[in-house]
């Protein structure tokens, strides 16, 4: 959670001013941070969770598996992963734990509970 909070400092949130950080823990114990990166063409913005996942794949390779991923923001607001991020988390960690700020503090939820009927192509 601390690594996710630290990652918010690197966010490029010029448009929303909502800085988000993520930290991914692999099943091998590696930690990869990520932050949101916005773009004037807002659809091209990348979320912190996917940034962390893509960085992990770039360094550890495509067989990287997620044990857990934490998400934080600089406003202390409830903030769970978006639908696109949930699917990408599921792709690389169908049993991953997702940690994020909820209404009453930090929550820990399995990705399968956040993304019912998530899928992977074989």
């Amino acid at each position: 959670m601390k690594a996710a909070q630290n990652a918010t400092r690197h966010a490029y949130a010029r448009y929303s001013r909502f800085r988000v950080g993520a930290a991914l823990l692999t099943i091998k114990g590696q930690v990869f941070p990520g932050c949101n990166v916005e773009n004037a063409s807002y659809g091209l913005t990348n979320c912190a969770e996917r940034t962390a996942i893509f960085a992990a794949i770039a360094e550890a390779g495509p067989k990287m598996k997620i044990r857990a991923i934490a998400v934080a923001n600089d406003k202390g607001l409830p903030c769970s992963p978006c639908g696109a991020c949930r699917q990408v988390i599921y792709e690389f960690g169908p049993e991953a734990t997702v940690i994020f700020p909820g209404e009453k503090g930090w929550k820990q939820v399995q990705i399968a509970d956040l993304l019912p009927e998530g899928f992977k192509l074989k």
Side-chain angles (χ1 to χ4, degrees):
M1 292 182 295
K2 184 70 172 167
Q5 290 169 327
N6 288 340
T8 64
R9 293 183 280 161
H10 297 282
Y12 181 74
R14 179 178 181 186
Y15 306 100
S16 72
R17 307 268 187 253
F18 190 66
R19 300 166 72 84
V20 180
L24 177 152
L25 175 66
T26 71
I27 61 171
K28 293 184 177 181
Q30 299 166 289
V31 175
F32 294 92
C35 61
N36 59 321
V37 180
E38 296 179 351
N39 189 277
S41 177
Y42 215 67
L44 300 178
T45 293
N46 200 56
C47 298
E49 300 92 315
R50 284 181 284 143
T51 299
I53 294 165
F54 299 159
I57 293 166
E59 186 171 320
K63 293 185 180 183
M64 179 279 305
K65 298 290 181 211
I66 301 169
R67 174 175 289 154
I69 188 164
V71 183
N73 64 77
D74 67 339
K75 310 273 189 231
L77 296 171
C79 182
S80 68
C82 72
C85 288
R86 291 175 188 202
Q87 180 59 44
V88 176
I89 293 166
Y90 189 89
E91 177 85 13
F92 295 97
E95 297 177 12
T97 300
V98 182
I99 304 162
F100 56 92
E103 289 287 334
K104 298 178 182 176
W106 290 97
K107 294 183 75 167
Q108 289 191 52
V109 182
Q110 295 304 115
I111 189 61
D113 293 330
L114 286 176
L115 185 69
E117 302 184 38
F119 68 96
K120 288 177 69 170
L121 300 178
K122 303 248 181 211

